[in-house]
Amino acid sequence: MTLEQFLDRFDGPERSLVVVNRTDPDPVLNMLVDTFGDDAVRVVDGRVTDGAGDERLTDGAGDGRVTDGAGDDRLTDGAGAVETDRSVGLTARELASTGAVDGDDEVVPSIDVEVLRRHEGVPFDGGDADEIENLVLLMEGDEVVAGSTLTELGDAVLFVNSDLYITGSRSLSDVDLPSVISGLDDATFTLRGYPESNRQKLLLITVSRFIERAAWTAGDGTLRSSFQRLSRIDDEVGTRTVYERIADTGVDTHLYGVPDELPTDLDAVIHAGDDSDFTDSWFVVYRPPEGPHSAENDPDSDLVRGIEGGVGLLAVESEPRVWRGLWTFDTDRLSRMNRYIERNL
């Protein structure tokens, strides 16, 4: 069995990104599509409210009913009360139970950011409603999984480039995941590399650095990372620095790749090979000393979850410059990833 066949055993939920209140539509949309792919992003033109107003978004039929702005004609009862299945968390209907009409008497979708803040089951990065120009929601069907402002998402992936990581300009301590990226855990993805996309691999780089930060912060446990070509460790100043810092903390560090040039003076175990698991895989798997387990102390902190319970990324280049994979906190998946790599590479 290869890592690609191993990956086929993992199923993940289908999730998509919804962009609300785009003040500069084309650049925002293009960046999101270029980062997450055409099929992952849909757009809702509208505005964000703080829930303080009493005007509601009507459907234009004059019957006082309220749409959720998602373009699928769902309606509330016009009184702000929405019948929902609480077992599925926050739905799009709840989130858009208030709304507004613009200056041209046109109905525009309206998302109540206070609903996001109050709903404990949905992580949200954001500030005051009147300071939010663009909001990005992560959806699974009609359920809102997470929300982030464009500023938060931009600082993490949209408005940066891989040079920040390659040169080491962004240090490990600066790497964090906005909620909409954190909410992509266990969701299978397909990303394209250059020249098909200038940005999609940046998502893999960002998640990889987050996992490396978890290992570095923990200072123990085991980290297994693949590089396709081992020469990349020395070619990229930022990567070399990261792994020197991780190894110096006492983390049992294992590096995998084709032995075109072996790294020297690095306190790590080198695993070299030239079959498809070495040439076509991208994995970063952190296993805490006691093995993967659920983090109980602070389940709302992704970093704490990774440090205490483990976190891993596995992607395979299924065709030239096309990566398919997932990343996860799931204890069973982490155990299986670590076991496969340890036994077969």
Side-chain angles (χ1 to χ4, degrees):
M1 183 171 63
T2 65
L3 271 174
E4 183 171 10
Q5 294 168 327
F6 176 75
L7 181 62
D8 288 338
R9 299 185 174 190
F10 293 148
D11 293 322
E14 294 293 329
R15 290 177 176 168
S16 62
L17 296 172
V18 176
V19 187
V20 183
N21 192 44
R22 294 173 303 121
T23 56
D24 198 3
D26 292 338
V28 173
L29 175 60
N30 290 342
M31 280 189 293
L32 284 166
V33 168
D34 199 22
T35 303
F36 295 97
D38 309 50
D39 298 332
V41 181
R42 64 188 175 97
V43 179
V44 177
D45 288 305
R47 53 178 73 166
V48 180
T49 74
D50 61 3
D54 55 8
E55 292 183 345
R56 294 189 177 89
L57 174 63
T58 70
D59 65 357
D63 56 9
R65 295 189 296 176
V66 182
T67 74
D68 70 350
D72 52 8
D73 296 327
R74 292 188 185 88
L75 300 171
T76 73
D77 63 1
V82 183
E83 294 183 4
T84 59
D85 180 359
R86 291 292 175 181
S87 66
V88 298
L90 179 64
T91 67
R93 297 177 67 186
E94 292 175 285
L95 190 57
S97 60
T98 63
V101 176
D102 67 14
D104 298 324
D105 292 329
E106 294 290 333
V107 175
V108 292
S110 181
I111 300 297
D112 188 348
V113 72
E114 287 301 322
V115 175
L116 275 176
R117 288 197 181 95
R118 291 195 301 267
H119 204 287
E120 296 180 356
V122 179
F124 171 60
D125 312 312
D128 295 335
D130 56 1
E131 296 176 354
I132 298 175
E133 294 182 348
N134 297 281
L135 188 64
V136 181
L137 303 176
L138 182 64
M139 305 290 295
E140 184 176 334
D142 188 44
E143 184 178 354
V144 181
V145 178
S148 295
T149 64
L150 187 64
T151 299
E152 295 286 341
L153 191 58
D155 289 345
V157 292
L158 291 185
F159 306 143
V160 301
N161 60 56
S162 58
D163 287 345
L164 279 179
Y165 298 102
I166 293 172
T167 63
S169 299
R170 174 164 286 182
S171 69
L172 276 176
S173 57
D174 293 330
V175 178
D176 208 352
L177 300 180
S179 292
V180 295
I181 294 183
S182 172
L184 288 169
D185 65 310
D186 290 316
T188 54
F189 57 75
T190 300
L191 301 174
R192 290 168 174 79
Y194 182 84
E196 284 78 7
S197 169
N198 291 322
R199 308 190 59 84
Q200 289 187 25
K201 277 180 65 176
L202 185 59
L203 187 62
L204 291 176
I205 295 172
T206 302
V207 174
S208 297
R209 279 292 188 264
F210 172 79
I211 298 170
E212 291 156 359
R213 181 188 179 190
W216 170 66
T217 306
D220 57 9
T222 303
L223 181 68
R224 303 183 186 276
S225 302
S226 67
F227 295 88
Q228 292 84 59
R229 299 189 312 275
L230 286 167
S231 60
R232 287 180 175 171
I233 297 172
D234 286 326
D235 289 346
E236 301 175 357
V237 175
T239 300
R240 172 79 191 201
T241 300
V242 163
Y243 279 86
E244 285 177 342
R245 296 181 70 185
I246 291 172
D248 286 347
T249 66
V251 173
D252 184 16
T253 306
H254 295 252
L255 309 177
Y256 302 77
V258 174
D260 56 339
E261 184 177 334
L262 297 179
T264 58
D265 300 322
L266 188 61
D267 188 11
V269 180
I270 306 299
H271 303 260
D274 57 7
D275 63 23
S276 61
D277 279 354
F278 287 93
T279 61
D280 300 337
S281 67
W282 181 330
F283 57 78
V284 184
V285 179
Y286 172 64
R287 180 187 185 277
E290 65 276 23
H293 63 279
S294 298
E296 302 294 342
N297 291 346
D298 189 359
D300 294 327
S301 168
D302 292 319
L303 185 60
V304 170
R305 289 173 68 192
I307 293 169
E308 296 189 354
V311 56
L313 163 74
L314 171 61
V316 173
E317 192 172 10
S318 55
E319 56 186 275
R321 297 178 298 279
V322 177
W323 295 88
R324 183 173 59 87
L326 58 77
W327 71 283
T328 185
F329 292 100
D330 182 82
T331 57
D332 177 63
R333 292 183 172 185
L334 284 170
S335 295
R336 291 163 64 188
M337 283 181 189
N338 183 77
R339 185 164 54 247
Y340 178 95
I341 297 166
E342 183 178 21
R343 293 179 178 178
N344 294 285
L345 275 73

